Structure formats: structure tokens, C-alpha cells
Amino acid sequence: TVVIEFKNLSLTYPNGLEALKNINLVVEEGEFVVVVGLSGAGKSTLIRSINRMTNPTSGQLIVDGEDVTFLKDNKLRSLRTKVGMIFQDYNLVKRLSVLRNVMAGRLGHTGTLKSLLGIFPQEDLKLAMDNLDRVGIKDKAYVRADQLSGGQQQRVSIARVVTQQPKVILADEPVASLDPPTSHKVMKDLRRISKEDNLTTIVNLHFIDMAMEYADRIIGMRDGEVVFDGPVSQVTKET
Ligand code: ADP
Ligand code: ADP
């Protein structure tokens, strides 16, 4: 099943910079795709168009059968429930417990008022604890998020995004703030969980070596264009 499709998608920022030029891509359900390219190539703009944190200029972007290219307002919220995101700097609420941060993954499902009041169904709580267990930090559930190491915080954000039960996970440079050994551990967890839950996952990474170790498929970008798209086995040094 096709989950994401870019059809001649272009994006020009208000200052005139053409960050995406005529992108055509099809991503199938369950694929673990890594996007590589130099800083400024358009990786971030590309994946952020999928949950519409960036606004395409022309072309079409289909997510889970729906044209989301110019989606607005309340419809964006349901898109972002379906398309979860992991950031370089974790984006946790520092003063809240790890568990509360993971429960934030349920916001799109529970409704804002109830969740503001701290009312979550019991099964959501169980789901959150189970997902913390899956990334090996269940014992940190009641610790304040900012007491954790970077690697642990990124695991919290993985637990949060899977607790959201999305169809798609976007990860924008998820290991760029971590040291190499920690980066590998986080990438392993992300890939394992993505495969276990059959989540379509798109990850931006700086380093081709890391990309080749974890990706099913690699997309190479340069100056707003896709210059390579294929399985890891087709990547050669020149690309
Ligand atoms: P990457 O993720 O590969 O580093 P980005 O998608 O962040 O690339 O950026 C692509 C290009 O778009 C860069 O030249 C960047 O400076 C520019 N850019 C990114 N965000 C904006 C913005 N909000 N306004 C104008 N230009 C931007
Ligand atoms: P990243 O590549 O992780 O997005 P950047 O440092 O490139 O980090 O961008 C940080 C923020 O600044 C982003 O919100 C991006 O959209 C914005 N930005 C990047 N380049 C430009 C630019 N040339 N003009 C305006 N905003 C930009």
C-alpha cells in the first residue's frame, strides 16, 4: 500500500528560496527510509511537508490516501495525529515527568480539555508504560524529563511518538545531538519499534554510513532535488 506520494511537489519559501524542486516519490507502508544530503539540501523541508509544518507551493502531496498539499486548520490536527514527529532536540516538556511527556502522544486522541485536566483512559496509561518499557526506560517514568541524558530523552520521544499510534513517523536529524554510540542505540530502537508496529518511517540523517546501516531505502537530496533513490545495496561511493 502506498502511504506517501509526492507528485511534482515544489516549495519556495517566502524569501524566494526554492527548497524543493519538482519532487516525485512514492513511499510504501512499513518502509524505513533515510534521507541524506548536505546541510541546506532540503531534507528538513521535505519531511516537514509530510505533516505540513512547511507549506508546499505547487504539485501534490498525498498522505494515506488524502491530498494534504494545502490542508488547513482543524484538518492539520488530524494529519499530525496520523503523522508523528521526532526532533533533533527531543522537544520534551522539561518540567514534566517522563510518563506525562509520553502521554502527550495521546493528545490528538483524547481531546485537549480532558488532557489538560490530566484525564486519560487507563488503557492509554498502560500503553505509555508499555512503550517506555520497549525503549528500556520504564524505570524513569516518574523522573522529570530534564533529569535524563540526551539518549534517554530521545527514547522518551520515541515512546511518545509510538504511543500516538501514528501511521507515519518523521524523524528530523534524531541523533544529531548524540554521541556515536548513543546514536546507534537510538537508531536501533527506532528501527526495531518502527518494524514491530509496521510504521512507515522517514528519517533525516547527516551521515551516509549511519544511513546505510539502518535504512531499507535511501533518498539522496541536493539543492532541493532528489538525486538518488534506491535500496542500500545500490548506494556507491560516488552517490
Ligand atoms: P536540510 O534539512 O537539508 O539542512 P533545509 O530543508 O533545512 O535543509 O533547508 C533547505 C534550504 O531552505 C536551505 O537553503 C535553508 O537555508 C532554506 N530554508 C529553510 N527554512 C527556511 C525558511 N523558513 N525560510 C527561508 N529559507 C529557508
Ligand atoms: P534545521 O536544518 O534543523 O531545520 P536550521 O538551523 O537550518 O535547522 O533552521 C532553523 C530554523 O530556521 C528552521 O525553522 C528553518 O525553517 C529556519 N531557517 C533556516 N534557514 C532559513 C533562512 N535562510 N531564512 C529563514 N529561515 C530559515
Side-chain angles (χ1 to χ4, degrees), residues 13 15 17 39-40 44 48 88 172-173:
Y13 282 111
N15 64 358
L17 195 131
S39 179
S44 188
R48 285 168 192 240
Q88 175 176 346
D172 197 0
E173 301 281 358

Side-chain angles (χ1 to χ4, degrees), residues 2-208:
V2 173
V3 175
I4 300 164
E5 186 169 8
F6 288 78
K7 293 182 186 172
N8 297 316
L9 199 87
S10 296
L11 189 154
T12 302
Y13 282 111
N15 64 358
L17 195 131
E18 295 179 65
L20 299 179
K21 301 170 186 165
N22 228 28
I23 304 289
N24 287 288
L25 287 172
V26 172
V27 181
E28 300 277 339
E29 184 172 1
E31 273 192 289
F32 194 96
V33 180
V34 176
V35 184
V36 296
L38 299 176
S39 179
K43 306 182 295 294
S44 188
T45 305
L46 180 84
I47 70 166
R48 285 168 192 240
S49 62
I50 299 168
N51 70 349
R52 287 290 317 286
M53 284 174 74
T54 58
N55 298 314
T57 311
S58 64
Q60 245 188 336
L61 178 59
I62 316 286
V63 178
D64 194 28
E66 185 182 10
D67 186 336
V68 304
T69 325
F70 303 110
L71 212 62
K72 283 206 184 96
D73 309 323
N74 56 333
K75 289 195 161 182
L76 281 179
R77 192 176 137 186
S78 73
L79 175 67
R80 288 169 190 167
T81 302
K82 194 183 289 183
V83 181
M85 182 121 184
I86 295 174
F87 300 87
Q88 175 176 346
D89 296 314
Y90 329 125
N91 275 28
L92 303 180
V93 184
K94 292 181 170 53
R95 291 171 192 287
L96 291 183
S97 71
V98 163
L99 181 61
R100 271 312 202 93
N101 271 280
V102 175
M103 291 301 289
R106 302 306 298 167
L107 283 177
H109 300 276
T110 310
T112 316
L113 182 61
K114 278 190 177 168
S115 54
L116 278 175
L117 296 170
I119 301 168
F120 291 100
Q122 200 61 35
E123 58 267 28
D124 285 5
L125 210 59
K126 182 177 182 325
L127 181 65
M129 287 302 268
D130 286 348
N131 285 329
L132 278 171
D133 201 16
R134 293 169 80 194
V135 292
I137 48 170
K138 195 179 175 185
D139 59 322
K140 304 287 186 198
Y142 299 101
V143 173
R144 251 174 68 155
D146 60 1
Q147 302 296 302
L148 269 53
S149 69
Q152 289 170 332
Q153 290 192 47
Q154 196 58 300
R155 285 200 184 80
V156 174
S157 91
I158 293 173
R160 177 178 60 190
V161 81
V162 291
T163 297
Q164 181 177 330
Q165 297 184 313
K167 253 198 139 70
V168 176
I169 294 182
L170 309 175
D172 197 0
E173 301 281 358
V175 298
S177 301
L178 304 173
D179 61 51
T182 308
S183 297
H184 280 284
K185 287 182 197 151
V186 167
M187 284 303 296
K188 272 191 192 123
D189 277 346
L190 180 59
R191 184 180 162 97
R192 174 177 50 80
I193 285 181
S194 163
K195 291 295 174 189
E196 283 171 2
D197 290 7
N198 194 35
L199 300 171
T200 307
T201 305
I202 307 189
V203 186
N204 285 347
L205 290 178
H206 256 75
F207 299 112
I208 184 75

